[in-house]
Amino acid sequence: MQIERRDFLSTLTLAGAATLFSGNSLLAAISPKKEKLGIALVGLGYYSTDLLAPALQLTEKCYLAGIVTGTPAKVETWKKKYNIPDKNIYNYQNFDQIANNPDIDIVYVVLPPSMHREFVVRAAKAGKHVFCEKPMAPSVADCEAMISACKSNKVKLAIGYRCQHDPNIQAFMQVAKEKKFGKIKMVNSAAGYVDGRTDHWKQNKKLGGGVMGDMGVYALQGARLATGEEPISVIAQASTTRPEIYKEVEETMMFMLDFPSGARAACQTSFGINMNHLQVNYEKGWLKMEPQSAYSGNKGSMSDGTIINVPLKSQQAKQMDEDCAAIINNTQLIAPGEEGLRDIRVVEAIYKSVASGKSVKI
Ligand code: NAD
């Protein structure tokens, strides 16, 4: 067999590279830089169907390249609607073969929270970057395992914290950073809606249900982003007005956070109350956001007359484009796995406080 000099040299270069890099890092080192990344959505429920897939029609740095579903009946509709080739369609069993598919750069996990760890770890082992929906996972141990799997496979992990990509929330975070009105005296943060469903994973403990992980992370983020600090202790109470539906998990959670600077936050979240607001009272003024975590229309006002109201085409498109830019340019993500973990640390402490009836240090 004759080997052309050019082929021989490229074989040699690859072999040399293989001794320097291993596994996924070798692939990353030899693949050309893409300008538009392929995303595969895992779990084709409400959020993927109604928000993420439509947003992926507006993105500039990524597109909907594939799907992973446990429901074969959904395949035809998605295939036709989004022009997805058969080779980019997976189920939960053959999902790991995605490792051999160069069309897929990112796996976006949009499943019930108790399934996030398994699919994030499998995606990382397949050498794919990962986006994971909130809440990151039911426990701190799960979050740490997910972060570690992504680190050891040299892929990025972003949490679907769409609000942190919203220019209105970013403007509010800037005010918080500048300490324009002096020290914070009190934060009030609420996020909830009336969920009329009766047999859903959000009511199932094993699947990671409960309002605290679901809407509660928005109330918690309002307080964390307003103070720019991590809470040091929490006291919480859980309740339900519909015990026939919320048998295993709470319908409503009220929690009070203490921050290192002395700032305090009173937070509420519920599947039985429509509420979505944040009020920060400072020594010399106040800031309000209402709503504070909607898909669109998040609005702010301040005691000095400033209004925050920046138009936005699609929060989810902006989120995915910004996260893809961080992957393409290898820069910092706005909300990496560590940010999801920060919230779950507090969520765990909140459940401990509910169980003990006492304040819990974080
Ligand atoms: P959903 O119930 O509408 O969809 C869940 C999907 O998971 C379905 O495709 C379902 O078939 C699949 N699934 C696989 N195994 C399942 C099981 N054992 N039980 C139930 N479903 C199973 O849920 P959703 O509202 O799309 O939520 C999915 C994820 O997205 C959650 O983590 C949720 O918190 C998150 N979410 C985020 C936002 C946001 O604003 N960032 C909004 C909605 C949902």
Side-chain angles (χ1 to χ4, degrees):
M1 190 180 69
Q2 271 208 327
I3 302 176
E4 291 274 333
R5 189 182 129 76
R6 206 159 18 119
D7 289 345
F8 174 72
L9 278 179
S10 64
T11 313
L12 197 74
T13 316
L14 275 179
T19 56
L20 286 175
F21 302 99
S22 63
N24 303 324
S25 52
L26 170 62
L27 262 182
I30 59 176
S31 356
K33 197 165 157 174
K34 284 192 189 174
E35 284 183 4
K36 211 165 175 179
L37 305 180
I39 295 192
L41 293 173
V42 188
L44 308 178
Y46 154 73
Y47 196 56
S48 284
T49 306
D50 288 20
L51 279 304
L52 296 177
L56 280 164
Q57 310 313 303
L58 307 171
T59 42
E60 288 166 10
K61 298 201 181 307
C62 50
Y63 68 102
L64 179 57
I67 48 172
V68 184
T69 178
T71 317
K74 290 180 184 168
V75 169
E76 249 350 87
T77 318
W78 277 74
K79 235 172 90 168
K80 281 204 186 113
K81 188 163 182 188
Y82 295 113
N83 206 13
I84 300 169
D86 285 329
K87 66 181 172 70
N88 293 356
I89 298 173
Y90 296 86
N91 57 43
Y92 299 155
Q93 287 71 41
N94 68 14
F95 167 67
D96 309 275
Q97 292 170 17
I98 212 162
N100 308 317
N101 191 335
D103 291 357
I104 313 294
D105 303 288
I106 299 164
V107 166
Y108 196 155
V109 180
V110 201
L111 292 162
S114 66
M115 300 173 78
H116 290 181
R117 175 178 175 167
E118 178 192 335
F119 280 86
V120 167
V121 171
R122 285 171 73 181
K125 283 187 178 162
K128 304 298 174 185
H129 297 288
V130 199
F131 295 169
C132 175
E133 258 318 311
K134 47 68 36 187
M136 185 169 170
S139 72
V140 166
D142 288 336
C143 298
E144 287 173 343
M146 291 152 77
I147 292 170
S148 156
C150 290
K151 275 213 175 106
S152 54
N153 287 285
K154 299 188 171 50
V155 294
K156 287 201 192 277
L157 170 59
I159 305 304
Y161 280 143
R162 55 182 173 75
C163 290
Q164 293 200 25
H165 298 263
D166 184 318
N168 294 287
I169 311 290
Q170 288 171 341
F172 136 71
M173 285 164 69
Q174 191 56 33
V175 177
K177 222 189 221 164
E178 285 166 4
K179 303 206 176 346
K180 190 170 171 174
F181 303 116
K183 272 179 82 165
I184 290 178
K185 294 180 93 174
M186 171 65 95
V187 179
N188 275 282
S189 184
Y193 68 94
V194 178
D195 196 329
R197 293 173 290 195
T198 52
D199 186 19
H200 193 258
W201 63 260
K202 292 192 181 185
Q203 292 130 19
N204 182 315
K205 199 173 162 84
K206 266 203 186 134
L207 288 170
V211 76
M212 189 54 227
D214 197 75
M215 294 303 286
V217 292
Y218 293 118
L220 171 57
Q221 289 237 329
R224 285 186 47 238
L225 301 180
T227 54
E229 299 174 45
E230 297 307 320
I232 48 174
S233 72
V234 64
I235 184 154
Q237 268 189 357
S239 60
T240 179
T241 57
R242 294 178 290 173
E244 69 286 5
I245 301 169
Y246 293 91
K247 292 176 218 146
E248 301 177 5
V249 298
E250 74 289 346
E251 179 192 41
T252 297
M253 185 75 83
M254 301 176 86
F255 54 102
M256 207 159 79
L257 301 164
D258 281 300
F259 291 89
S261 63
R264 306 194 91 189
C267 307
Q268 304 110 53
T269 184
S270 179
F271 281 142
I273 306 163
N274 289 321
M275 54 183 172
N276 201 294
H277 56 265
L278 173 74
Q279 167 132 4
V280 192
N281 285 87
Y282 301 86
E283 287 168 323
K284 293 177 278 180
W286 51 261
L287 176 148
K288 280 183 196 166
M289 293 283 305
E290 185 163 16
Q292 67 152 324
S293 61
Y295 292 147
S296 62
N298 292 313
K299 263 191 220 127
S301 56
M302 298 180 215
S303 50
D304 65 0
T306 308
I307 300 289
I308 303 175
N309 190 6
V310 188
L312 175 62
K313 200 160 63 177
S314 162
Q315 217 178 41
Q316 286 84 0
K318 188 165 182 281
Q319 168 207 324
M320 290 188 277
D321 268 342
E322 288 175 352
D323 286 343
C324 285
I327 290 172
I328 293 167
N329 304 317
N330 195 19
T331 52
Q332 284 252 313
L333 291 158
I334 287 185
E338 288 77 2
E339 175 68 356
L341 168 62
R342 280 179 205 115
D343 281 341
I344 300 306
R345 250 192 213 117
V346 182
V347 172
E348 257 192 18
I350 285 172
Y351 283 123
K352 274 189 198 147
S353 171
V354 170
S356 68
K358 292 184 182 147
S359 168
V360 170
K361 289 207 184 336
I362 303 167

